[in-house]
Amino acid sequence: MSNELKLERPLVVFDIESTGIMPQRDRIVELAVLKIYPDGRTQNTVRRLNPEMPIPPGATAIHGITDDDVKDCPVFSIIAEKLYNYIDNCDLCGYNITGFDIPMLEAEFKRAGFEFKVDNRKVIDVYNIFCKLYPRTLSAAYEFFCGKPLEGAHGAAADTAATFEVLLGQFAKHPELPRDAAGLAEFSDLLGADAVDRTRRFKWSGDEVIVNFGKNAGRTLRELAANDPGFLRWIVRSDFSDEVKNIANDALMGKFPVRKNVQNEQQAQP
């Protein structure tokens, strides 16, 4: 497996599934570790964990793990010391681990009384490698989909014409793409189902709306309205989109967004 990989010490490739994406409030529910030794040996382990909190439906929809699946599993603090020693003196690898998995693991170790640091480790983020190998500029897309360099890049007229050519080139290379505007709009939407507003200032965490920026990131809109309304008033007065301001203003008046599936369930109740 690793005959082309030159290692001076073991490499730990790992992935985390969790209750959400906020390290300070969410918890790990599954941890997979692939340990690759310099001599080519490998060890593969997967462990499910009891997060000591309900797993939001939105998280279960992503990884398929329910409260019942982990109710009899150990909590992270039980395995923390063994895991800490197992990955000690190892370099790290994963997909988008710098943005998610490492902060989540650091937070879990801290709660268990261990100081987990990456300062003395090599960190290989395969997602970042992917982004560097396949840049997402219009010029790069034009050359890939249209087979020729883009002349006059960054001129408005050239860029708009090139963008449409790229779309046609995407049709040619990917016949599975929808051809109608609604289908293309849905396919091209990177906000994801957890976005509450177009700027992602608020997002869903399970059935609750949380703040997705600044010092209050991870706090629920409902809790802020009750305990820190000044923050929401600041949003209303500041340079945010009307959509974001309306969400904050509604929360100040006790009105909160309701997810469609939750609303439908409530309407179905007698």
Side-chain angles (χ1 to χ4, degrees):
M1 176 184 293
S2 57
N3 59 338
E4 295 183 4
L5 187 62
K6 298 178 176 61
L7 299 176
E8 295 181 357
R9 60 180 181 176
L11 179 68
V12 166
V13 185
F14 74 102
D15 183 73
I16 284 172
E17 303 297 343
S18 66
T19 60
I21 63 170
M22 308 305 297
Q24 301 310 315
R25 67 184 294 266
D26 286 305
R27 301 292 187 269
I28 296 174
V29 296
E30 187 173 72
L31 174 65
V33 174
L34 169 63
K35 190 172 184 179
I36 305 167
Y37 292 87
D39 62 5
R41 291 180 298 118
T42 62
Q43 291 178 337
N44 213 334
T45 58
V46 180
R47 195 67 179 266
R48 284 191 173 175
L49 301 166
N50 186 329
E52 300 182 276
M53 65 179 291
I55 302 175
T60 297
I62 294 172
H63 49 57
I65 301 171
T66 67
D67 292 332
D68 284 342
D69 293 331
V70 295
K71 64 181 181 181
D72 297 323
C73 295
V75 299
F76 185 87
S77 59
I78 296 296
I79 71 158
E81 183 175 6
K82 185 176 181 180
L83 175 64
Y84 186 89
N85 293 331
Y86 185 69
I87 65 178
D88 188 36
N89 198 35
C90 295
D91 294 323
L92 304 175
C93 178
Y95 195 86
N96 195 30
I97 55 172
T98 53
F100 172 69
D101 302 79
I102 287 176
M104 185 68 68
L105 194 59
E106 286 175 334
E108 286 281 28
F109 271 126
K110 184 176 181 179
R111 284 188 285 267
F114 292 84
E115 187 177 13
F116 177 72
K117 292 187 175 182
V118 298
D119 299 352
N120 61 341
R121 305 170 190 261
K122 300 292 188 297
V123 176
I124 303 170
D125 196 317
V126 177
Y127 171 75
N128 292 343
I129 292 175
F130 174 69
C131 291
K132 287 190 175 183
L133 287 175
Y134 301 95
R136 295 300 190 255
T137 63
L138 177 58
S139 295
Y142 189 82
E143 189 156 357
F144 180 80
F145 287 106
C146 302
K148 54 188 177 182
L150 174 57
E151 302 292 340
H154 303 300
D159 284 358
T160 52
T163 299
F164 187 61
E165 283 190 66
V166 167
L167 178 60
L168 298 180
Q170 289 172 333
F171 287 160
K173 285 184 180 289
H174 296 281
E176 73 277 11
L177 283 173
R179 295 301 195 267
D180 61 296
L184 286 169
E186 181 179 358
F187 191 87
S188 67
D189 183 7
L190 291 180
L191 287 175
D194 63 343
V196 177
D197 64 280
R198 298 295 302 179
T199 58
R200 290 184 66 87
R201 295 295 184 174
F202 297 108
K203 64 183 298 181
W204 291 105
S205 179
D207 300 329
E208 289 286 340
V209 175
I210 63 172
V211 176
N212 196 37
F213 70 100
K215 66 179 182 179
N216 287 308
R219 296 178 68 181
T220 69
L221 191 60
R222 196 178 303 274
E223 186 266 328
L224 282 167
N227 301 317
D228 194 2
F231 175 72
L232 298 178
R233 294 191 189 102
W234 169 75
I235 290 178
V236 173
R237 295 193 307 266
S238 300
D239 188 22
F240 292 95
S241 70
D242 288 343
E243 185 181 15
V244 170
K245 290 182 178 182
N246 288 338
I247 293 171
N249 194 55
D250 284 348
L252 288 168
M253 295 187 292
K255 297 185 293 185
F256 303 96
V258 178
R259 269 191 146 165
K260 289 183 179 179
N261 60 332
V262 176
Q263 191 175 33
N264 291 340
E265 290 172 2
Q266 292 174 341
Q267 290 174 348
Q269 295 176 355

